[in-house]
Amino acid sequence: MLDYKLLEALAAVVQEEGFDKAATTLHLTQSAISHRIRTLEEQTGQTLLIRGAPPRPTPAGQKVLKHFRMVQSLESDLEDVFLLRPRDGFISLVLGINADSLATWFLPAIRPFLDREHVLLDLLVKDQDITHQLLANGDVIGCISSKAEPPAGCTAHPLGVMTYRLMATPDFMATWFPNGLTREAATRAPAVIFNRRDGLHHAMLCSLFPEFSHAFPAHYIPSSEQFVRVIMQGHGYGLIPDLQMKKLREADSLAECAPGKAMPIPLFWHTWSRQSDLLARFTSALVQGGADVLEPMT
């Protein structure tokens, strides 16, 4: 049986992205952290950590961390029952989420849960089509994803749909799309994209222009708020979710580049099939909150 103090050291180094910060978090010396991880590797007979900047788990390390986080979640209920936690102690929920959900509906949806539970959020922000990999790797205990099929050992819960539309300022459209958004214009006009792994804009262009394979200039803005600001300043056009448009005071200063054409993205909550009571309560709150805010799935 593995010593969970050793597992805790490995998890801290990966989560804090360094031995120094892990030592501070666990109130240990850096040498003690290093010794615990070496001992764990000796016990398992495998290298669990790539000593880089930042340190990264090996495939074997990812499996160990996934096991550790699952046990942590299940044991949280016992801590409540047997009063093993201090009164002011918190349970940390490490979750994967896409930036647009975080910027719009996620926090309002789980506010009732946060009001009544003694938990801390630790959010890893990734594109909605790759967050499920965080769960498969054991980096998180649950994630919001656009993929319907959950990883092995996990369950998917439908949340709802976020609808995106191509938006730009009227001046931008007059300059770049004088005859409307055509295939040729899409190859020349500067787009605004979240990051280089975000394929949503290209997918939208493919839905408008079958087999669209042309390169196009793009700004890469990895912030939902600043993403919209770049569009509102007239530097490019891009996909903005309806939920975010509703929150913008200056929403009337933007116009649809492809009127009547939208990109609906279904969202799912993926988490372990075997859940602690706490994680089950979070799942219930998130599913209900998503149903209250997101568009229903058809």
Side-chain angles (χ1 to χ4, degrees):
M1 182 175 179
L2 296 176
D3 185 338
Y4 282 90
K5 289 184 179 179
L6 308 184
L7 293 172
E8 184 181 45
L10 176 64
V13 169
V14 173
Q15 184 169 324
E16 301 297 336
E17 298 187 337
F19 285 79
D20 288 338
K21 290 184 178 179
T24 300
T25 298
L26 297 181
H27 306 291
L28 297 170
T29 64
Q30 182 177 341
S31 61
I33 293 290
S34 298
H35 176 71
R36 289 187 178 188
I37 293 178
R38 284 197 304 272
T39 301
L40 182 61
E41 290 178 326
E42 290 171 2
Q43 290 183 358
T44 59
Q46 299 188 66
T47 300
L48 303 176
L49 191 69
I50 299 173
R51 273 79 166 172
R56 294 177 291 112
T58 64
Q62 290 176 347
K63 292 180 179 179
V64 169
L65 288 173
K66 183 176 183 179
H67 168 75
F68 175 63
R69 292 193 174 102
M70 185 175 292
V71 171
Q72 270 189 319
S73 174
L74 293 172
E75 287 185 346
S76 67
D77 296 328
L78 294 179
E79 291 174 346
D80 283 332
V81 172
F82 296 109
L83 303 178
L84 298 180
R85 285 185 298 155
R87 290 183 181 179
D88 58 348
F90 289 89
I91 294 175
S92 181
L93 297 180
V94 187
L95 313 174
I97 188 173
N98 60 309
D100 289 337
S101 289
L102 180 58
T104 54
W105 66 271
F106 175 74
L107 290 175
I110 64 166
R111 181 176 177 178
F113 175 84
L114 294 178
D115 286 343
R116 64 177 179 265
E117 302 283 354
H118 217 47
V119 300
L120 298 172
L121 297 178
D122 188 348
L123 303 180
L124 302 185
V125 181
K126 300 289 183 180
D127 293 340
Q128 64 265 14
D129 58 342
I130 61 173
T131 50
H132 74 294
Q133 191 60 48
L134 296 173
L135 181 60
N137 291 344
D139 296 323
V140 299
I141 63 172
C143 69
I144 293 172
S145 173
S146 59
K147 294 185 179 296
E149 188 68 24
C154 298
T155 302
H157 304 265
L159 293 172
V161 174
M162 287 190 75
T163 298
Y164 291 75
R165 301 177 195 277
L166 278 173
M167 307 299 294
T169 63
D171 287 344
F172 181 92
M173 293 176 63
T175 300
W176 293 99
F177 307 141
N179 299 314
L181 177 55
T182 63
R183 181 186 293 266
E184 180 183 359
T187 67
R188 297 182 292 103
V192 184
I193 299 175
F194 189 78
N195 59 32
R196 294 183 181 274
R197 299 192 66 173
D198 180 6
L200 200 58
H201 191 99
H202 183 262
M204 180 64 172
L205 292 181
C206 287
S207 72
L208 296 172
F209 313 111
E211 300 182 2
F212 184 89
S213 60
H214 306 281
F216 52 86
H219 303 279
Y220 295 99
I221 311 295
S223 163
S224 292
E225 292 78 8
Q226 300 308 315
F227 180 102
V228 173
R229 178 170 294 182
V230 171
I231 293 174
M232 296 189 70
Q233 290 175 344
H235 301 306
Y237 77 115
L239 285 161
I240 302 177
D242 287 351
L243 285 176
Q244 198 166 11
M245 286 294 296
K246 293 176 182 178
K247 296 172 62 176
L248 292 175
R249 295 179 181 177
E250 308 91 338
D252 56 357
S253 65
L254 296 177
E256 287 190 57
C257 302
K261 302 292 185 179
M263 176 67 72
I265 301 297
L267 295 177
F268 301 85
W269 166 246
H270 294 187
T271 190
W272 299 323
S273 299
R274 184 182 180 188
Q275 299 183 43
S276 68
D277 286 346
L278 176 65
L279 190 53
R281 292 197 299 273
F282 178 82
T283 295
S284 178
L286 183 63
V287 170
Q288 181 59 57
D292 291 342
V293 180
L294 297 172
E295 298 173 35
M297 294 186 180
T298 57

